[in-house]
Amino acid sequence: MRFLLDDEQREFARSLDAMLTAADSPSAVRAWAAGDHGPGKELWARLAGAGVFALAVPEAYEGVGPLPVELAVAFTELGRHAVPGPVVETVAAAVLLADVGGPAAKEWLPRLASGAASATLRMDGHGPYALDADAVDAVFTVTGDELRLAPGPGVLSVSSDPARRLWRPAPGGELLASGTRVAGAAARAAGWAAFATAAQALGTGEALLRTTVEYVKQRTQFGAAIGSFQAVKHRLADTLIGLEFARPLLYGAALALAGDAPDAGAQVAAAKVTAGEAGYAAAGAALQLHGAVGYTQELDLALWLRKARPLRDAWGTPGACRARVLADGPAAPAARHAPGSEPDRLSGGLAQ
């Protein structure tokens, strides 16, 4: 299937791109890595004002979602601009709380939707860490069939990306819910986290490719721009193909989530492994084609290079995602289009 965003979705992407460009996100990332969350939280407030976090919150809790297609659009832009903080985890926490329901959902979901509060999440099966637990209002943990509000951020661990600060939450905390409902909600939240991370990885890869293309047009060797060399062209073309191959898988997963398709988990896993590895490959190409300057911390390129591998592995390693695809198997496409035929348009999260 081929997909096209509708006019409103494309305008949403353009507005986020313009807002994040004007906000100087690289400066916010550097400040976040240094432990200064002020600029990053200002950026989060703007994103909340644009309705980004409300996309994952049901209307019953003052949100507008769940709208997975629009969420894919938004998180691709967040990846393209290297927005710091647990944006994925806030979305996953919203999905988790909405499924669990009860007093915790009523207390936290309206605040998450409006940006009045932020959250991070640690769940069994997805590592012992909660991303940026020191910078949020709530640290939710799922252990077995128990959902708790952690009493504090816990212990800081070293991360390959200084702007992704990993914390081991303190044990215990307030019990918010328990039982099989929590386990089911956690599995669904993990799927949405993988989906949003795939969109971030795609945006990260796009930013790396764009920056590298600009660089090879300017860098000269033997009296010619290195971008004119065939080997460089082929490397960049391969990078572009990888990213463009991931995009329809991401939108296909969005439609599967919107329709609660039986194979939604497998489709999300396919999108995650493809987007994650395409973004990581873009990082490798960017580093090689920038040469020695690509290793310098002063170059903004480093902000995206450091994100590519963590995003590839977060909320589902390539191996785990491939195993999920093989176990569940993708559903047969609902329709196939001949070349030149009218593509599907993604409207309100559903193909029309």
Side-chain angles (χ1 to χ4, degrees), residues 165 255 282:
R165 297 164 63 84
L255 295 181

Side-chain angles (χ1 to χ4, degrees), residues 194 197-206 208 235 238-247 249 268-285 307-314 316-322:
T197 304
Q200 263 194 314
L202 176 62
T204 297
E206 289 177 346
L208 288 163
R235 185 71 185 273
D238 288 343
T239 302
L240 176 61
I241 289 170
L243 294 168
E244 289 303 317
F245 186 74
R247 193 185 313 280
L249 292 177
V268 168
K272 175 64 170 59
V273 66
T274 307
E277 295 206 324
Y280 188 54
K307 292 190 181 302
R309 183 166 183 171
L311 290 175
R312 184 196 69 173
D313 295 339
T317 63
C321 289
R322 288 191 177 95

Side-chain angles (χ1 to χ4, degrees), residues 88-150:
V88 165
E89 287 71 18
T90 294
V91 164
V95 173
L96 174 66
L97 291 170
D99 275 10
V100 170
K106 293 179 181 178
E107 177 184 358
W108 287 102
L109 285 177
R111 297 170 63 191
L112 293 177
S114 68
S118 57
T120 190
L121 177 65
R122 187 211 66 79
M123 295 198 302
D124 282 352
H126 295 280
Y129 304 112
L131 183 65
D132 295 312
D134 63 326
V136 297
D137 301 291
V139 180
F140 296 105
T141 65
V142 176
T143 304
D145 61 356
E146 292 185 345
L147 169 62
R148 291 182 179 271
L149 182 63

